[in-house]
Amino acid sequence: MKVLIDTNILISAVLFPGGRASAALMRALLPPYQPIVCSYIIDELHHKFQEKFPHKQTELKAFLYSSMNIIHVIETPEEVSDAEKKIRDIKDRPILRAAVNYGVDYLLTGDKDFLEAKIKKPIIISAADFLEL
C-alpha cells in the first residue's frame, strides 16, 4: 500500500522523534507500506526548516540521510486535478495532485485542510488513525 507522507508529518518526526507522527512515519516505512513523498514536499520541508527551525538543520540533514534511501520520491505533476478544488489552502494542492496522480492509498497528514476536505481517494489519514490501522 502506497503512503504519501505530508510535510507536517516529516517535520514533526524530525523535531519530536518520540512522538506520534514519528511512530506513524516508522510504521509507514515498513511493509506492507510503500512510503512516498513528492518533490514539492521535499522543497517545502527545506523551506520550512530554513524559515522556522534554522537551528535544526543538522537534525533535518541526519533525518534525510537516514530515511531518503527508503522513501520513494516522485515528481509533482504540473497538471491540475479536479480533487484539488476541495483543498482550501492552494499551497497544499500540489501534494494532493501528486497523491492522486501516483495512485496512493493513503495520504498521511496532520493538516486540517486535508483532513476536513472529505476526499474519498486517497484516504486522508492522521498519524493517530494510521497507527490504529
Side-chain angles (χ1 to χ4, degrees):
M1 285 182 269
K2 298 176 192 169
V3 180
L4 188 98
I5 303 158
D6 193 12
T7 312
N8 57 55
I9 296 292
L10 297 173
I11 290 171
S12 293
V14 171
L15 297 177
F16 308 104
R20 185 177 291 156
S22 182
L25 173 62
M26 289 301 159
R27 181 162 190 207
L29 295 177
L30 300 172
Y33 302 108
Q34 299 171 5
I36 298 164
V37 295
C38 63
S39 55
Y40 182 87
I41 289 173
I42 298 296
D43 293 343
E44 189 176 47
L45 185 63
H46 284 289
H47 176 75
K48 292 287 184 188
F49 267 83
Q50 288 172 357
E51 177 186 328
K52 296 183 178 186
F53 314 106
H55 59 288
K56 296 286 187 175
Q57 292 296 319
T58 301
E59 288 86 343
L60 175 61
K61 287 177 185 175
F63 171 79
L64 291 173
Y65 180 78
S66 65
S67 64
M68 293 316 291
N69 61 342
I70 300 168
I71 300 173
H72 182 68
V73 180
I74 60 172
E75 286 301 314
T76 307
E78 296 290 325
E79 187 176 322
V80 176
S81 73
D82 288 336
E84 290 179 49
K85 297 172 186 166
K86 295 181 179 181
I87 302 296
R88 291 182 297 235
D89 187 349
I90 61 170
K91 292 179 182 177
D92 289 334
R93 291 178 180 181
I95 296 168
L96 181 62
R97 184 182 317 146
V100 169
N101 190 62
Y102 198 69
V104 303
D105 299 293
Y106 294 101
L107 172 53
L108 179 59
T109 185
D111 188 325
K112 288 186 181 191
D113 283 334
F114 282 124
L115 294 168
E116 295 174 355
K118 298 188 185 344
I119 294 171
K120 302 230 185 291
K121 188 166 181 170
I123 296 168
I124 298 176
I125 192 165
S126 69
D129 290 340
F130 188 73
L131 290 168
E132 297 279 326
L133 290 178

